[in-house]
Amino acid sequence: MQTNFEDLISTFLEKGIGVSNNFLSTDLALQLKLNLVALYNQKALKRAGIGNGYVSTKDKKIRRDKIFWLDKKDNNETELLFFELIDSFVLYLNSTCFTGIKSYEFHYALYEKGAFYKKHIDQFKSDNGRAFSMIMYLNEGWVKENGGELKIHQKLEVQIISPENQKCVFFKSNELEHEVLVTNVSRMSIAGWLKTF
Ligand code: OGA
Ligand code: NI
């Protein structure tokens, strides 16, 4: 676990984008994926918007994922394990990097075939305290032909990250523009934000 945290933080400090390939254990990734698939089949996922309100036609031009917010109050065994992992990561991050993270929010996301998320940054105009973005992928056997990469635009280069099972990506929410390229198959993840208040 510690090694994964170190991987994520050291690559972040080095390149501005942290990547850990095994942040989620195979079992946790599988159980989370099964939860997400069940929610999808129950039609519990909702079209995501770009503000906080209803989803407009403009929103649909920008993003096409469907989401479900995780909530400790749901008392789901697997999600509680996920939150334990995040809690220990936040503790590690705060104690090694003095980041002062106080809270977080995470949602499941499912991009159906053909879905995408155009270039954006993760902080709304009115500051919502989002300091770091974290995305974890739940896609076994992902191949290049599937598309659906995360493309991050840095000042001097562009990073293309494929949404492989168990991988976690970590970056500052207020500066890096990024997008999700069109996926050719259903693409599953948990996306979230570590917040300073
Ligand atoms: C987001 C986002 C990237 C990804 O949800 O804001 O940029 O790879 N997700 O799913
Ligand atoms: Ni984003």
Side-chain angles (χ1 to χ4, degrees):
M1 196 160 75
Q2 204 93 333
T3 330
N4 294 326
F5 295 173
E6 252 324 300
D7 280 353
L8 200 59
I9 294 171
S10 61
T11 47
F12 167 74
L13 293 174
E14 208 174 295
K15 297 182 179 162
I17 301 172
V19 178
S20 165
N21 287 325
N22 303 295
F23 191 83
L24 300 178
S25 68
T26 35
D27 192 50
L28 187 56
L30 174 64
Q31 297 305 325
L32 289 167
K33 181 192 126 160
L34 293 175
N35 277 0
L36 174 49
V37 169
L39 289 164
Y40 179 72
N41 290 335
Q42 292 158 23
K43 305 214 184 308
L45 301 197
K46 299 283 173 266
R47 262 230 144 85
I50 52 168
N52 290 319
Y54 81 113
V55 180
S56 65
T57 340
K58 182 175 160 249
D59 289 346
K60 287 180 198 152
K61 288 199 183 108
I62 296 172
R63 69 186 290 189
R64 289 283 173 89
D65 54 329
K66 291 182 173 167
I67 66 168
F68 183 94
W69 289 97
L70 279 81
D71 188 339
K72 285 184 184 167
K73 291 197 200 79
D74 288 341
N75 258 319
N76 178 279
E77 204 180 326
T78 301
E79 288 164 14
L80 291 177
L81 286 174
F82 170 78
F83 282 124
E84 266 179 37
L85 175 66
I86 298 300
D87 284 339
S88 45
F89 177 65
V90 168
L91 240 122
Y92 191 83
L93 184 69
N94 280 344
S95 63
T96 54
C97 303
F98 309 103
T99 33
I101 296 305
K102 296 204 170 56
S103 67
Y104 49 69
E105 52 192 2
F106 285 90
H107 65 59
Y108 288 113
L110 189 143
Y111 290 70
E112 292 165 327
K113 181 178 192 302
F116 53 80
Y117 193 158
K118 298 273 192 218
K119 214 189 220 191
H120 66 281
I121 60 166
D122 281 348
Q123 217 173 49
F124 300 131
K125 281 194 190 84
S126 55
D127 185 15
N128 55 8
R130 286 180 174 182
F132 298 100
S133 303
M134 269 179 100
I135 304 133
M136 283 145 280
Y137 300 107
L138 309 176
N139 308 294
E140 290 150 292
W142 194 264
V143 292
K144 204 173 184 328
E145 296 70 45
N146 292 348
E149 292 95 346
L150 169 64
K151 185 170 175 183
I152 305 181
H153 302 261
Q154 289 181 295
K155 272 211 181 74
L156 300 175
E157 60 182 326
V158 164
Q159 303 274 353
I160 305 267
I161 296 166
S162 70
E164 283 157 311
N165 203 40
Q166 303 173 256
K167 188 189 278 184
C168 177
V169 182
F170 176 78
F171 54 89
K172 275 180 86 172
S173 301
N174 66 348
E175 49 187 44
L176 281 186
E177 282 193 308
H178 56 282
E179 61 189 303
V180 176
L181 304 179
V182 173
T183 182
N184 302 316
V185 297
S186 136
R187 174 194 196 269
M188 289 176 271
S189 59
I190 292 182
W193 297 274
L194 305 185
K195 301 169 63 157
T196 48
F197 56 82

